Amino acid sequence: MSKLLRAPGAVSLLGCSVAALMVACGRNSGPTGPQPPDPALAAQGKDIFRFDTYGDETFWTDTLRMHEVIQGAVDPTTALSVGLKVDADVLPAEVVQGIQSGAISLTDPATTVALLKLNAVVGLKGTVETIDGRDTLVRVGTTCALCHSTVNNSFAPGIGSRLDGWPNSDLNPGAIIALSPALSTGQKAVYNSWGPGRYDPRFNFDGVNGPVVIPPAYGLLGVNSIIYTGDGADIAYWNRYVGVTQMHGHGTFVDSRVGVSVQNPPDLITSKLEALQAYQLSLQAPAPPAGSFDPTAAQRGRTVFQGAGRCATCHLGTLLTDANTRLHDPAEVVSEPEPNGAPSYASRSATKRYRTTPLRGLLQHPPYFHNGIAATLDAAVELYDTKKGLTLTAQEKTDLVEYLKSL
């Protein structure tokens, strides 16, 4: 596999402990449960989450030349079609009026450049300079918000107020990467195969094509095992992994369990991990929308959840997960085998196992399971019923779905 999507400057750090590279934050538990993060620290983390690229422009601009692609061919209509979002709250009144009246074209790449100049494209940060009297995009980078924020569509589809921590299920990161002129035809075919809401955070190391669903980054206070396979004991682990190896920011990530050792100086990440994690821990899962479930059926479904459905065997306590105490072998889960003949995602991880996913805000982030093999909650329940041999009645399945909607 080409090294184009491997973080630059990767070297082996002999004798370097992963633990020494982690920054712990907010994991101390008081007598009544995990303590909320410090608001001032979380406020710092909010800016980092939304706007900090960790210097990854050296990859997305200098290597992949995405600024050329955006400047020449990505108009707002195209950007919205691949799941990019626009923060309506930072748009000046005249821009809002221009979009509404049609005076501002949504089929002109210059409008995209103008939106980047306003810092209005969620998860992208552009540097725009006036060259020969024309606004020109000279550098572009990515932030955490690209995959882990969306908008409420209050202005138009894809344009609205930010919803931080929500997975951007419309985002097609593979299709965006594939626009790069620096990639081969074969690489582009792999990236284009992922589809909306999916990303493979291991592909650039093991060459295996097995994307997973972009997960939510809310409702994690008190949950120690992070991501689908519980690789890290806190969010800072995964923030470092993504920041260095996927965003291609400047910093260091080492974990011999997955055979990854990347050093990309200068370190622009470590000092920000504590505040970033504090902000993520402050993000609460959304409540189910009004009228989205039948309360009476949900109450019956709770009984199924705790009894005949055997869900509470693993989805324990207020967090609805046993991830803080154990992980599960692939043979225990219902989400394997992987689609399209891909190897077990767990086999590509540090733990070789899966954590039980917390169920907060479940209704609002389909599809389900790490690989998205259940498009709906009904399909998820059917899969469990079949693979676990539960023999639930049709009514029990319906009630259980209503309960899951209520979480």
Side-chain angles (χ1 to χ4, degrees):
M1 176 192 167
S2 168
K3 295 182 179 178
L4 272 176
L5 291 190
R6 195 180 286 273
V11 299
S12 174
L13 298 183
L14 298 178
C16 185
S17 165
V18 169
L21 296 176
M22 304 307 161
V23 176
C25 166
R27 294 183 60 228
N28 295 326
S29 294
T32 58
Q35 297 300 303
D38 174 66
L41 191 62
Q44 296 175 30
K46 181 178 181 179
D47 283 342
I48 295 168
F49 180 89
R50 291 184 172 187
F51 305 120
D52 205 310
T53 66
Y54 316 123
D56 69 11
E57 289 89 345
T58 55
F59 180 75
W60 298 100
T61 299
D62 300 338
T63 300
L64 290 192
R65 297 159 52 194
M66 295 304 293
H67 65 304
E68 297 176 12
V69 175
I70 294 170
Q71 179 83 35
V74 180
D75 56 62
T77 299
T78 300
L80 292 170
S81 74
V82 294
L84 290 172
K85 306 296 183 181
V86 175
D87 182 354
D89 294 334
V90 301
L91 299 179
E94 59 270 22
V95 173
V96 171
Q97 293 167 2
I99 294 174
Q100 291 173 330
S101 68
I104 293 178
S105 172
L106 296 182
T107 58
D108 184 352
T111 304
T112 303
V113 173
L115 292 172
L116 284 166
K117 186 176 182 179
L118 291 169
N119 220 6
V121 182
V122 175
L124 291 185
K125 188 170 183 179
T127 300
V128 179
E129 296 179 358
T130 302
I131 299 176
D132 296 329
R134 178 189 179 207
D135 278 350
T136 303
L137 182 64
V138 295
R139 300 191 72 71
V140 68
T142 66
T143 77
C144 300
L146 179 64
C147 292
H148 298 288
S149 288
T150 185
V151 296
N152 64 3
N153 302 322
S154 56
F155 181 83
I159 306 175
S161 298
R162 289 178 184 250
L163 297 172
D164 285 348
W166 291 52
N168 187 349
S169 300
D170 300 321
L171 185 71
N172 195 330
I176 294 171
I177 295 169
L179 293 173
S180 168
L183 299 180
S184 69
T185 300
Q187 287 175 313
K188 292 183 178 185
V190 170
Y191 295 123
N192 278 319
S193 74
W194 290 355
R198 287 170 170 80
Y199 181 83
D200 192 334
R202 305 293 191 195
F203 174 68
N204 62 319
F205 289 106
D206 63 17
V208 174
N209 184 17
V212 294
V213 174
I214 298 171
Y218 53 57
L220 294 177
L221 182 64
V223 180
N224 295 343
S225 293
I226 300 304
I227 68 167
Y228 295 118
T229 52
D231 286 22
D234 56 27
I235 305 175
Y237 170 93
W238 196 242
N239 285 339
R240 184 189 289 278
Y241 179 87
V242 172
V244 174
T245 74
Q246 303 304 303
M247 293 169 61
H248 302 276
H250 288 261
T252 296
F253 180 89
V254 179
D255 191 339
S256 60
R257 299 176 301 170
V258 287
V260 176
S261 179
V262 176
Q263 185 180 37
N264 183 24
D267 186 354
L268 303 179
I269 292 179
T270 299
S271 64
K272 299 162 185 173
L273 290 176
E274 186 179 17
L276 176 59
Q277 178 165 297
Y279 179 57
Q280 289 164 311
L281 291 176
S282 76
L283 298 174
Q284 299 183 4
S292 61
F293 66 94
D294 179 339
T296 302
Q299 186 59 41
R300 295 194 303 265
R302 185 173 184 270
T303 301
V304 178
F305 184 92
Q306 296 176 335
R310 304 207 299 262
C311 309
T313 303
C314 301
H315 293 284
L316 303 171
T318 57
L319 296 174
L320 297 176
T321 178
D322 59 2
N324 289 358
T325 59
R326 62 174 173 167
L327 299 174
H328 297 270
D329 290 331
E332 299 178 62
V333 306
V334 303
S335 51
E336 292 201 3
E338 306 286 2
N340 303 317
S344 164
Y345 185 69
S347 72
R348 305 166 66 198
S349 74
T351 66
K352 313 303 180 190
R353 296 179 175 182
Y354 292 104
R355 74 161 186 175
T356 299
T357 299
L359 301 183
R360 297 174 175 181
L362 195 61
L363 174 63
Q364 305 191 67
H365 60 84
Y368 301 105
F369 304 108
H370 69 279
N371 48 21
I373 60 171
T376 65
L377 288 174
D378 296 87
V381 168
E382 285 290 347
L383 186 62
Y384 262 108
D385 183 63
T386 300
K387 290 203 171 185
K388 294 294 186 181
L390 301 178
T391 64
L392 296 176
T393 68
Q395 186 63 61
E396 286 174 325
K397 293 175 186 177
T398 297
D399 291 343
L400 180 54
V401 168
E402 292 303 302
Y403 175 64
L404 295 175
K405 291 178 181 178
S406 74
L407 297 175

